[in-house]
Amino acid sequence: MNNRNDHQTAPRRGFLKSLVLTSAAIFGASAITAVPAQAATTWKVQSVWDAGTVGYTLFEDWCNGMEEKTGGELKFKCFPAKSVAADNNALFDAVRNGVLQGMNPFTLYWSGKIPASVFLSSYPAGPDQPHQWDTMFYSMGMLDKTREIYRKLGLFYVGPIQHDANIIHSKKPVDSLDDLKGMKIRLPGGMVAEVFQQFGVSTVSLPGSDIFPALEKGTIDAADYVGPAVNYELGFAQVTDNILFGPPGVMSIYQPVDLMDLTVNLRAWEKLSPKVQQIVEDEVRNYSQRHYLTIQKRNIEAMEKFKASGSHVSRLSQEDLERFRRAAIPVWYKWANKDEDARAIFDMQLKYMMNDTVGYITPDDIKGME
């Protein structure tokens, strides 16, 4: 009897044990599925592009794809110019303080706060081809040095974003540097203004929104702004008849590669997983190419429209470019010597420009400069 009962009890205990384990597995699975998926981290990112421009439309489309590309871990909520931070200084501070987690500015905007930034986008008669800038950033250590500089301010420089050249629209023809003498031109301040002033130009600093009315009223003779695509959208063909380019292959001798970037709050960046950080870095490089190529296509279309409206295109000569570079070199050194970070970035670029693969600068060009 006892043996039979023990024999019958064993299967019953095994069955009950299996039932308990199965129930636990089912309950565990239910508990796992019942836990809601972790919400994406949302970053507020403001651009300096106005809503409705080709620049902002491209940026908005890119931002809207970030959540999918990061597998739902990071979401970008983008804003056009002045929508959260009212001006450039406020934008810089908003990202440092975490009011915004990121910004998409023209890098040159921070020359007053980060002197090295004048060498993180093109400058008068410096490197004038987009691939040269990508080479310096991604192959010659300039990206690492830039990140080191930005970290001191609680920021993380993710990467450069290729945009376009800046060109000049004028009311009268300009066929050489000598024709600029006596003209009143809206130009960026700092290094660009200092070089133009050596050719007898009276320089004026105006925000982009004030350029059209100033040209229309005749309070300025000419204005620099970005490239043909955006400038046509802003109506420059209605108030000027002339466009000034550099020599063939160089749209601009003073700001030929006007870089933007994505810069983010350092604390926010460090909270991301290494995987998501790498995705964001890769996406900035992808977006840089897409943004640049789209703008170049629009430029070609815009130039046809400018010509149809009666605009005349002038080009400075190679000799003009060389004259402009000779005038610019002392100004380069002046800005490079503002602090050790600016000098470190400039020294990288000078070495590159003096390399025979580029050949913009010779030892004679910088003789006596320190």
Side-chain angles (χ1 to χ4, degrees):
M1 290 290 291
N2 289 342
N3 289 341
R4 187 180 70 241
N5 288 341
D6 290 344
H7 182 72
Q8 290 176 341
T9 302
R12 189 179 301 120
R13 287 175 178 168
F15 169 76
L16 292 173
K17 184 177 180 181
S18 298
L19 181 63
V20 169
L21 291 173
T22 303
S23 299
I26 294 171
F27 177 78
S30 299
I32 291 171
T33 56
V35 175
Q38 186 176 358
T41 297
T42 299
W43 278 7
K44 293 183 288 185
V45 184
Q46 182 172 313
S47 178
V48 294
W49 289 117
D50 290 321
T53 61
V54 60
Y56 186 70
T57 300
L58 288 170
F59 184 69
E60 185 177 38
D61 288 345
W62 178 67
C63 286
N64 289 342
M66 189 59 67
E67 185 173 12
E68 179 181 355
K69 289 181 172 66
T70 60
E73 291 189 43
L74 179 63
K75 181 178 180 180
F76 280 7
K77 183 176 182 180
C78 66
F79 297 88
K82 302 179 182 179
S83 53
V84 178
D87 57 35
N88 293 333
N89 286 331
L91 177 59
F92 184 91
D93 291 335
V95 176
R96 288 189 67 191
N97 298 333
V99 174
L100 292 163
Q101 285 70 50
M103 59 182 170
N104 169 225
F106 287 99
T107 310
L108 188 62
Y109 285 172
W110 314 132
S111 59
K113 299 175 180 291
I114 307 175
S117 69
V118 298
F119 298 111
L120 299 177
S121 181
S122 67
Y123 47 93
D128 56 25
Q129 300 298 317
H131 74 271
Q132 294 170 347
W133 288 87
D134 282 345
T135 297
M136 291 187 293
F137 270 108
Y138 290 109
S139 298
M140 298 179 62
M142 200 163 80
L143 181 61
D144 290 338
K145 183 60 182 178
T146 300
R147 287 175 174 174
E148 177 188 317
I149 294 167
Y150 274 60
R151 276 181 175 274
K152 298 174 186 177
L153 296 167
L155 299 168
F156 186 80
Y157 180 95
V158 182
I161 295 172
Q162 293 283 357
H163 165 57
D164 204 5
N166 285 7
I167 60 176
I168 291 176
H169 298 259
S170 67
K171 289 181 169 293
K172 67 177 186 178
V174 177
D175 296 313
S176 72
L177 286 177
D178 293 330
D179 293 336
L180 295 171
K181 187 174 182 178
M183 291 180 65
K184 189 175 184 180
I185 307 178
R186 182 273 179 192
L187 288 163
M191 195 185 296
V192 174
E194 289 178 25
V195 178
F196 271 93
Q197 287 163 7
Q198 295 184 52
F199 294 93
V201 173
S202 174
T203 62
V204 179
S205 179
L206 293 172
S209 57
D210 291 348
I211 295 174
F212 181 94
L215 287 168
E216 186 177 37
K217 294 173 184 176
T219 54
I220 56 176
D221 303 308
D224 135 274
Y225 203 50
V226 288
V230 174
N231 292 354
Y232 188 82
E233 289 179 347
L234 294 174
F236 286 10
Q238 302 170 36
V239 289
T240 62
D241 298 317
N242 303 277
I243 299 172
L244 181 63
F245 286 169
V250 181
M251 283 177 62
S252 168
I253 66 171
Y254 66 96
Q255 213 164 352
V257 185
D258 193 13
L259 289 174
M260 304 182 79
D261 65 66
L262 183 73
T263 292
V264 302
N265 177 278
L266 181 59
R267 295 185 301 278
W269 177 259
E270 291 178 338
K271 289 178 182 178
L272 299 179
S273 68
K275 180 189 76 172
V276 173
Q277 289 177 345
Q278 188 62 57
I279 291 171
V280 175
E281 290 188 44
D282 292 344
E283 280 304 306
V284 166
R285 294 186 72 169
N286 291 338
Y287 175 61
S288 177
Q289 182 184 57
R290 183 161 70 251
H291 183 269
Y292 178 76
L293 295 178
T294 301
I295 291 290
Q296 300 317 300
K297 179 178 181 292
R298 298 286 188 91
N299 281 347
I300 293 169
E301 296 166 353
M303 285 308 302
E304 296 299 324
K305 296 176 183 177
F306 271 116
K307 286 193 170 185
S309 72
S311 293
H312 171 72
V313 175
S314 299
R315 285 194 177 275
L316 296 174
S317 66
Q318 185 64 33
E319 290 74 21
D320 282 323
L321 172 54
E322 292 168 4
R323 287 177 62 196
F324 200 74
R325 182 171 286 132
R326 286 196 295 272
I329 288 173
V331 182
W332 295 352
Y333 277 84
K334 173 185 172 182
W335 280 83
N337 289 326
K338 283 184 178 288
D339 68 22
E340 63 180 14
D341 290 331
R343 186 60 191 243
I345 295 290
F346 172 66
D347 284 345
M348 289 182 185
Q349 297 175 356
L350 184 62
K351 183 178 180 180
Y352 182 54
M353 287 190 285
M354 294 182 72
N355 187 278
D356 288 338
T357 62
V358 179
Y360 289 169
I361 301 297
T362 69
D364 287 340
D365 293 327
I366 59 171
K367 191 173 182 179
M369 298 289 173
E370 294 181 359

